[in-house]
Amino acid sequence: MTAPRLYGLLAEFATADELIAAARRVHDAGYVRVEAYTPFDVDGLAEALGFRHDSVAFFTFCGALVGGLGGYFMQWYAAAIDYPIDVAGRPFNSWPMFMPVTFELAVLGGAIAAVLAMLLASGLPRLRHPIADAPDFELATRNRFFLCLRSDEAGFDRDAAERLLDELKPMRRAEVLR
Amino acid sequence: MAAPPISRDIGVLHAGWGYASIGDKIADIVLTRPAHWGWRAAFVGTALATAIFLAAMAYLFIRGIGIWGVNIPVAWGFAIANCVWWIGIGHAGTFISAILLLLRQRWRTSINRFAEAMTLFAAGMAGLFPVLHLGRPWFLYWIAPYPNRMDLWPQWRSPLVWDFFAIGTYIVVSFLFWYMGLLPDLATLRDRAASRWKKIVFGLGALGWTGEARDWKRHRSAYLLIAGLATPLVVSVHSVVSLDFAIGNTPGYHSTIFPPYFVAGALFSGFAMVLTLAIPLRRVFRLYDFITEVHLDHAAKVMLATGTLLAYGYLAEIFTAFYSGDRFEIAMTVDRWVGAYAPVYWSMMFCNVVCPQILWFRKARRSAVLLFFLSLVVNLGMWMERVTIVVQSLHRDFMPSAWGIYIPTVWDWIFLIGSICCFAWLFLLFIRVLPSISISEMRALARESVEEKR
Amino acid sequence: MPEVTPISPSLATAAQRRFWRGLDELEGAAPREVPQDVVTFEPPRLARRAFLGVMAASAALAAGGCSRAPLETIVPYRNGPAQDGYGKPVFYASALERDGYAIGVLVETNMGRPTKIEGNPLHPASLGATDIFTQAAVLELWDPDRSTASLRNGAVDTWPRFVTELRERVIAAPDGDGIALLTETVTSPTLHDQIRTFLEGHPRARWHQYQPVNRDNVYDGSRLALGEAVEPVYRFGDAAVIVALDADIVGALPGAVRHARDIAVARRGATRPTIHAAEGSPSLTGALADRRLVIRTGEIAMLADALAAQIGGGESSAAQVGGAAGGAAQGGGAASGAPQVGGAASGVATAALGADARAWLDRVAADLAAHRGRAIVVAGDRQPAGVHARVHAINRALGNDALVATREPVAFDAGNQGDSLRALASDMRAGRVTTLVMLGGNPVYASPRDLDFGGALRKLPWSAHLALHADETSAASTWHVAAAHALESWGDARAFDGTVAIRQPAIAPLYDGHSAHEVVSVLVDGNPRPGHAIVRDFWQRRHPAGFDAFWDASLRDGIVRESAATSRASVLPAPSSAKRSAAPAVAASSALAAVPTAATTSAPPAAIATQATAAPSATTAAPAVRPASDPSSATGAIVVELVLAPDPTLGDGRHANNAWLQELPKPLTTLTWCNAAWISPRFAAAHELANEDIVELRTASATVRAPVWIMPGHADDAVTLHLGHGRTRAGRVGNGVGVDAWPLFDSATRAIVPGVALAKVDGRERLAAAQTHHRMEGRDLVRLVSREEAARCAGSGCTPAREREPTESLYPPFKYDGHRWGMSIDLDACNGCAACTIACQAENNIPVVGRDEVLRGREMHWIRIDRYYEGAPSAPRTLFQPVPCMQCEHAPCEEVCPVEASVHDTEGLNVQVYNRCVGTRFCSNNCPYKVRRFNFLQWVDRETESLKGQRNPNVTVRQRGVMEKCSYCLQRIARARQHAQTTGEPIADGDVVTACQAVCPTRAIRFGDLQDAQSDVVRARTSPRHYALLGELNTRPRTTYLARIAAKTEPKS
């Protein structure tokens, strides 16, 4: 049997502020594939890890655009090209009457795009994550804050990493196996 | 090594709460707390009523809508009034989550979750009635946007088609919004649940959420973006619903003030319903520290504001009728005052315009009992407003020879009460299986409370 | 001004086309069309023969009776274009009777099923139009409650067994002793000939006639005035002044349909006749009148006296009038009756009248004096004979003979039917009747109850009743013999002017039904003969020479040529396209002139005695009903005058099981499924009565409770209650609907009952009124133009009625290269008869919904007759407005339909696509005219087989949950289009005639192509009276109106 490979080293903290400080330290120390786990959205944590901007907004914009244009095109095609009928003496392409549907579909497209972008970019949905097996980690959704240095970091040196984490004085340090 | 923070009293959150205790308090309502006898009784009662509601639907589909009191000229009765009423109620949730979020209102935090659930259920009820009221509901799919029977598309100029898209979009977006907020909390429940199957169920629901910082960031952007989209959506939905009437040429329908005035009315009734639900909730589950007088106060203030807007709407309608000099508009307005449905109109005025005035007093705004009953009164009033608009306008329009009267039958009432019970049943279910307050956001709030007091 | 043309052109051309073809055929000329015609109508003709063979055979087998199917040929009517081949309707000329008087019809059959009745343009009583009863006849034919077999003491039995029994009874009494025959008014020459033969063979047999709605007063009155019973035939078309004394000229009088047409034509003409009406209970004629006097029905007698006194001013003329009447009366052998009827009572009468009555009198007298020889005074049938005698005298004094032709009665052996029935009843009670054969009628229900005919009937050893339904009379008889419907059997009948029409069946009997002719043939010689043979043989005897041509023409045209002649007076000339139809001649009718046998004549002296006393009694009764001199008003009981009138839609009750007629909103009240006691608004206020309150009406002999309906324009201290309701054995539809008023009908007081005690009792009964609001609320719906304005604007371009119609629009108008159908409705012609409503119902498979649903406001009629009141409730002006779908160019209904169920078609029709409708009902909400109708429940009876037979195969039967509305009779447009496509000749103006347009007696409705500048409808639109209903809403309706011309003498409200 092959021994389970190391996923990363996990440090547990009691408060968000400690975690943010720790995150800054390891980031300054040159770690880029650091992961921080918190029970709620801690302001500035991602930035501390060097995660500046996400792509959700862009996808949302595209979704809204597709929804809106597609919506209008559908109405125009249906009413003016595919099956034109004289309805109440109105012109086939009565664009003012097509606005509400166009708008609603724009919103719908945007919202769906936003959610999909967020999920997919975060790798969700996900059935299993190695870190879930780490000791104490169920507290990550309760009141503990975790920092994980991943072993697949370029030039990862376990000893150096352990030393670095200990300097941060975590409540405890554990290893996460893959 | 610093100790984890303990919250201080900032009004919308009382002192003494830490990350763990907040989570446990809210999660245990779902996971461990034994069902309150009151809850059991209410649950069984509403479940039975819901069964009756479903049976009534079956009968409706078999016999046809003739079992209601609708006729010519009053071809729309309670069904449409109920629909408009419910969709109005459904507005508060998204308003709270989206608009207050953008406005950085902290008091939204502890009420947005169940308000959104309320929105979903109310929107569901609203979506139900247009289907029930169709003469041939089995052809509902003809409104779907594709060349269906005989290659015909929907008729895009019809406000009913706009409704289909508006309400549909609203339900979808509200659900996404609600579910996104739920993700971290489902993870919390997953990790806290004792039994295996609970772990599995909540685990699947949580989609494998771990709370990684980058996920949190994306989560926040998506959440804010949807809030940004939902804000105009909220306004548009009831505007579109109001166009069902405003597009028509019937006196009492044909009015340009309808969109804003419907939206105001929607929020008015929505916040009333939020209070109707929040006050028992905090009492039964002892959530006084999370849902505080401040929340009640703010909600009451919103009601006062929207109620005043509504009153202006009533006033403007009357003024326009006489200012326009339109014979038909004037006749319709006078009929509202003295006609067959005058009692409904005046009680509506009492409920929606007179009663809320008490909210000018701070004491009233902070008295849970008073607010609870006021919220019931307001919702009654709003329902009567929908009935007045739908029924009274139709029963005397252009041709006196065609004037008629609409008298609701027992079936009209069964469908109204049935929908209310079904709504209550769904909500009772919700508070037992899902966290009715956002855990993660409350934790963030607790942290804030500590920091700002430093 | 276009609408002054004597007849609306589109129909003129249509009628002429049909007419000339028919005439060419008749005169044996060989026009182009003939070969084509032969080709075009042979196949259906053969089909008919084959079909009838099969039907008759099956019927015969079912009856287990006669040996082989009779071969009977019926001849289609030549109905213009689209009548070639299968799948298209075939029309047969025939005749239907209303109270015995024939109206010529064309029966539309689809694949052998009679589905619709049209008027026969050639028939003088129709000229292409019909009344409501005629329209409903087709439903009567398919009525599932019709008796399908004969009954003996309630048990199913057979026709042959009945024949045997009857034969035996006749043989048992060779001289006819103890045999009595009871018929309704007989205007059938054939039937009369049969009966006469029977009576000659059996001299001691008795023939009695009784029709609940009869003309006893008319005939007795003429006996008083002229010494013999005559039938007055009026030429309203040529009259300058028309005075109706409680006479519903356009609604109830025999020939009402024709009268309505004549008057409408005259009103369109340059010299518009002035109509004066005096009546106690409002009628269509009263609503039409320029000046209407509200006076108690019982006081009309005084009014007539006073009028006679004023004609020519003072006693001299009165004496002369009296002389006229008296001299005649001597001839009649009733000098005793004459003086009262003469001028004596005049002075008294005038004094007794109210101020408004005297004002009206002065005006009328002046008008009459100014138009001597060009005026017509008419008394209503329910007015006592004295009044009729008086009116005869007045007309004579004014020299109106040219306009009031008199001919020998249309009814054969016109005795006093009331006396005839009384005589029969006493005979029955005295045991002088052992065998009673009743042909039609329902005397047990519809007869004076003091006669207790039912009781007498039950005591008889043997009685037989021939009827469509096993009704009250059948239940009291030994035999109920299932009758064949008028559309199933052969016969003939005379119209109000004497014109004879052969009644040919449009279908073989559905059940084991037999006609009166067949029953009488058993009486005559003991063996039944088929109706076809009887009728044919009779006419062959009349026209031995060239009979086949005569017979063929008579069947094809629906009238017997040269039959309208009278013994004495000029006959009615037709002002319209059908001029030739009633051409005068002598031969036939002199042959037809009945020679009354002693046995059949009910004693005239008795009759005159009653009538002569009746007139003064009415006069003297009048003061007694004034509340001032009413002692018992303090005791809660109020003394009123009660008028018992046949129901506007059910007649004497014979139509009670006809759902169409039950649900047809009654003209003036719009009530359905009920009758109510009409009272005046003032009376209601004085005695705190409201609509739907219950009052108890008590006469010496009977007490009846009825709900109250406050009737504007009704006379004070008087009540009108309609007969024909409260049937117990009418059928599933008619049983127990409304209140049976017959118990109040006494053979002495009859229709006008003085001194009836009225008391309010507890409880209310909801009355299903189709229209619940009767004021226009100052809205611009029915427009009025004064006669002067209209005349002034005829020449100049000024437009009093037309508003500036909105022309500006954000949207470019749609271009229609084909037709643009449109309709125009002339409110000045419409008299509110409601024929259009029921014709539309028959044509378009419109379901009935029943009383409860009408109460919920769910009636389904596609064209409704709106009725508004204007002015003082005591004497209001009544306005009618037919409202079908307006077929808007900018249809509000279409814009809001989510599924394109309501759209414009290529000809710009606002069509409703039933199978696309999902039933949101938004369209109805958005329709300002509220003309859309919704199937809230499954209205259409999908189970009952016989009802399916009636339905128009070219019109979709709507499902529950579907919206429906007027389609301009799309199926008829389609038929014309298909014909145009097959023949290649384009659709001409008048080729498409909607159901409502075809049936309209006054031609108020015109329909045609708006693209065609010459079309009748376009010319109507150029009228200064033209306007669009609610045009300010910018719906651009295609159905538009012509304002009503209101005499400026009336007060504007």
Side-chain angles (χ1 to χ4, degrees), chain B residues 109-128:
Chain B
T109 308
S110 49
I111 56 173
N112 70 332
R113 170 67 46 74
F114 71 81
E116 286 168 43
M118 175 196 84
T119 289
L120 278 177
F121 302 148
M125 292 302 126
L128 203 53

Side-chain angles (χ1 to χ4, degrees), chain C residues 151-154 428 436 438 442-445 452-465 469-480 728-729:
Chain C
L151 305 173
R152 193 184 196 291
N153 295 325
M428 287 159 72
L436 174 62
M438 293 170 284
N442 185 8
V444 170
Y445 165 80
D452 185 24
F453 188 86
L457 179 58
R458 284 187 196 79
K459 290 190 185 61
L460 287 189
W462 194 94
S463 58
H465 182 230
H469 296 80
D471 58 20
E472 294 84 349
T473 306
S474 302
S477 316
T478 319
W479 274 91
H480 160 68
T728 54
R729 288 175 168 271

Side-chain angles (χ1 to χ4, degrees), chain B residues 216-279:
Chain B
W216 273 120
K217 182 137 176 28
R218 295 194 194 90
H219 183 270
R220 185 196 305 170
S221 355
Y223 204 61
L224 284 169
L225 283 163
I226 298 184
L229 289 167
T231 303
L233 179 64
V234 173
V235 177
S236 81
V237 171
H238 223 51
S239 304
V240 166
V241 170
S242 78
L243 291 180
D244 289 352
F245 305 98
I247 288 280
N249 55 17
T250 315
Y253 278 15
H254 191 59
S255 160
T256 48
I257 199 174
F258 264 30
Y261 142 62
F262 264 51
V263 172
L267 297 177
F268 189 51
S269 58
F271 271 87
M273 187 57 89
V274 167
L275 286 174
T276 315
L277 299 175
I279 290 169

Side-chain angles (χ1 to χ4, degrees), chain C residues 15 51 182 218 389 417 824 912 977 982:
Chain C
F51 180 79
L182 175 63
V218 177
Q417 300 190 345
S824 145
Q912 179 71 16
R977 188 189 300 117
T982 49

Side-chain angles (χ1 to χ4, degrees), chain A residues 17 36 41 82 94 141-142, chain B residues 24 153 157 191 213 220 447:
Chain A
D17 301 333
D41 185 7
D82 186 36
S94 354
T141 58
R142 188 153 182 257
Chain B
D24 301 352
W153 291 76
R157 301 167 191 81
D191 297 344
R220 185 196 305 170
R447 179 155 182 270

Side-chain angles (χ1 to χ4, degrees), chain C residues 327-607:
Chain C
Q330 263 127 22
S336 62
Q340 288 92 327
V341 185
S346 315
V348 189
T350 324
L353 290 169
D356 50 352
R358 281 201 293 278
W360 184 85
L361 264 180
D362 298 339
R363 172 72 180 234
V364 170
D367 249 10
L368 288 175
H371 299 87
R372 288 180 172 274
R374 297 186 40 236
I376 297 179
V377 183
V378 191
D381 286 8
R382 64 167 160 250
Q383 285 299 322
V387 176
H388 288 272
R390 179 65 83 180
V391 166
H392 273 295
I394 293 171
N395 279 327
R396 178 147 310 185
L398 291 169
N400 295 337
D401 308 4
L403 301 185
V404 187
T406 54
R407 49 152 296 140
E408 48 104 0
V410 167
F412 289 99
D413 298 348
N416 182 303
Q417 300 190 345
D419 299 339
S420 180
L421 187 68
R422 189 191 290 108
L424 173 60
S426 56
D427 283 358
M428 287 159 72
R429 235 178 256 94
R432 288 193 291 275
V433 176
T434 55
T435 301
L436 174 62
V437 177
M438 293 170 284
L439 303 177
N442 185 8
V444 170
Y445 165 80
S447 67
R449 291 289 165 88
D450 57 321
L451 299 181
D452 185 24
F453 188 86
L457 179 58
R458 284 187 196 79
K459 290 190 185 61
L460 287 189
W462 194 94
S463 58
H465 182 230
L466 177 77
L468 284 175
H469 296 80
D471 58 20
E472 294 84 349
T473 306
S474 302
S477 316
T478 319
W479 274 91
H480 160 68
V481 183
H485 190 271
L487 297 172
E488 295 173 329
S489 58
W490 289 88
D492 50 13
R494 299 206 286 200
F496 72 109
D497 68 343
T499 308
V500 176
I502 306 286
R503 197 182 73 229
Q504 62 174 340
I507 186 171
L510 297 171
Y511 315 115
D512 183 18
H514 297 271
S515 71
H517 297 290
E518 299 173 55
V519 175
V520 177
S521 71
V522 177
L523 285 174
V524 171
D525 57 8
N527 49 20
R529 304 173 55 214
H532 177 244
I534 297 168
V535 177
R536 200 168 189 281
D537 294 355
F538 172 80
W539 287 101
Q540 194 150 24
R541 271 179 278 130
R542 291 281 176 279
H543 289 262
F547 173 72
D548 288 341
F550 163 82
W551 183 250
D552 197 55
S554 302
L555 292 186
R556 177 174 301 121
D557 299 342
I559 59 166
V560 178
R561 299 276 162 190
E562 300 152 354
S563 62
T566 68
S567 52
R568 219 178 307 88
S570 67
V571 87
L572 196 64
S576 69
S577 61
K579 186 173 288 298
R580 300 280 199 80
S581 67
V586 187
S589 75
S590 56
L592 296 185
V595 186
T597 63
T600 56
T601 329
S602 56

